[in-house]
Amino acid sequence: MDPHQLRTFVTVVRLGSFSEAARELGYTQSAVSQQIAALESDVGASLLTRRPVGPTEAGARLLEHAGPLLLRLDAARADVARLVGAPSARLVLGTTPLAVGAALGSALAEVRRAHPRVDLTVRVVARDAPPTLVATGEVDLALVDGLAAPSDPLPLPDVGPLSTVAVDERPLAVALPAGHPLAGHRGVALADLSAARWLDAPDIAPTAARLRAATAVDGFRPAARYLGSDVRGLLTLVAAGHGLAVLPAAALDRAPGVAAAPVREPRLVHRTELVHGSLPEGPAALLVRLLGG
C-alpha cells in the first residue's frame, strides 16, 4: 500500500473534497483522483462516495488503520533522522500545562550554561499530544503529566520507540469552593463525590472517564466544560460553584475562593514524566539527564 496514496485518501476524507485536498497537498485535482483510484484498485474496494465526498464502509475501515500507519511511518523517519543526525544546538521542549515545575527552570538554566548558544523553545501542548509530537520529531522531548498509582508509569500510547523518565510525583486534591461542606477535611474518597457537579477541563484535570476508571464508580458527570490551559481560569469557575476538579495539591495554594480536600482514596498521585526518543549528545540529552537524575 503506497503511503502517499494513503495520505491523500486521509486528506480527502478530512476535508470532504478532492479539490480542497489537492490544494492542501500541492497536487492537481486530477492527480488526487488518480491516487484514490490507484488505492481503490490496490485494496480491491471502493473507498469514497463522490457526491457528497465521504468514506464508504470499506473506506471507514481503512481510515481506522490509516492514522496509526502514517504516524508510525512519520515516527520511523524521525527516529532514523535523530540517530544519524549531527548534534543540534536546537532544543524544542513540549510540555503539558501542569508539567512545568521549578525543577524545569533550574535544569534549563544548566543547559544554557553548558550550551550558551542553544536555540530554546518551550511549547505548551494538549495533554494527549506529547508522545506523538516526540515520535514525529516536532519536539525533541516532552513533559507529560497525569494520574497514576504511586511509582506507576503513566499510560501512554504506543506511537514509536520512545523512552520515559520519571520526573516528579505530587499529592492530589479536589478543588472545592471555599464554602463547600468538605472544605477543610483532611482527606476525601473520590467515589463519595461521584454525584457532585464536576468541571470537564481535559487539558488540565482528569476527565470524567479517567475518574470513573480510577474509582470503578459511575458518575462524575461534567456540569460545564473549560477548554483552556490556564489553571487560574479553571479555579475561578470552581470558586464560583460551577463544579469540582482534581488537581495537584500545590496548584491550589492560596487560590482565591478555593479550598483543597486531599485525595485519600484511591491512592493516586499527580505524576510527571519526560518522554524522548533516541538523542545524540547535546542540549536535549543533557536535559534528560538533569530531569531524570
Side-chain angles (χ1 to χ4, degrees):
M1 189 176 296
D2 188 315
H4 296 292
Q5 297 171 1
L6 192 60
R7 199 176 299 275
T8 298
F9 165 69
V10 170
T11 305
V12 171
V13 173
R14 175 167 56 84
L15 297 176
S17 166
F18 280 69
S19 58
E20 291 297 323
R23 187 175 296 110
E24 180 172 304
L25 295 170
Y27 299 147
T28 64
Q29 185 170 336
S30 175
V32 169
S33 296
Q34 290 172 10
Q35 289 192 43
I36 296 300
L39 182 61
E40 289 178 325
S41 176
D42 183 14
V43 301
S46 174
L47 299 174
L48 291 170
T49 59
R50 265 53 176 185
R51 294 175 184 269
V53 174
T56 63
E57 183 178 0
R61 181 60 58 86
L62 180 60
L63 199 63
E64 294 177 9
H65 295 282
L69 286 171
L70 292 173
L71 174 57
R72 289 306 293 256
L73 285 172
D74 290 341
R77 186 178 293 109
D79 196 36
V80 171
R82 284 191 294 261
L83 185 66
V84 302
S88 173
R90 183 199 80 156
L91 175 57
V92 180
L93 172 69
T95 179
T96 50
L98 290 181
V100 179
L104 177 61
S106 58
L108 288 176
E110 184 63 29
V111 169
R112 281 192 175 280
R113 282 191 288 271
H115 301 274
R117 295 188 177 183
V118 65
D119 180 10
L120 172 65
T121 300
V122 178
R123 177 180 167 188
V124 178
V125 300
R127 177 169 279 174
D128 60 352
T132 297
L133 295 177
V134 173
T136 58
E138 292 187 54
V139 301
D140 297 308
L141 63 172
L143 287 164
V144 63
D145 71 289
L147 293 188
S151 301
D152 275 4
L154 294 174
L156 299 178
D158 179 13
V159 293
L162 301 179
S163 300
T164 59
V165 177
V167 174
D168 194 22
E169 286 189 356
R170 296 293 176 92
L172 287 164
V174 178
L176 311 158
H180 194 280
L182 293 177
H185 275 230
R186 300 178 64 180
V188 296
L190 287 180
D192 293 341
L193 295 171
S194 61
R197 294 163 55 90
W198 287 87
L199 287 166
D200 182 22
D203 283 336
I204 305 176
T207 62
R210 184 71 182 89
L211 293 175
R212 287 194 290 268
T215 60
V217 172
D218 197 13
F220 302 99
R221 305 301 176 191
R225 300 198 76 196
Y226 179 76
L227 302 180
S229 59
D230 183 357
V231 178
R232 291 173 299 179
L234 176 62
L235 293 180
T236 297
L237 295 179
V238 172
H242 293 287
L244 312 182
V246 175
L247 292 166
L252 308 183
D253 287 348
R254 294 183 294 278
V258 175
V263 174
R264 184 184 73 249
E265 294 179 7
R267 292 186 64 243
L268 295 170
V269 295
H270 177 259
R271 183 177 172 91
T272 302
E273 294 180 351
L274 186 64
V275 182
H276 66 92
S278 56
L279 293 173
E281 191 55 47
L286 176 56
L287 185 59
V288 171
R289 291 196 296 271
L290 291 170
L291 290 177

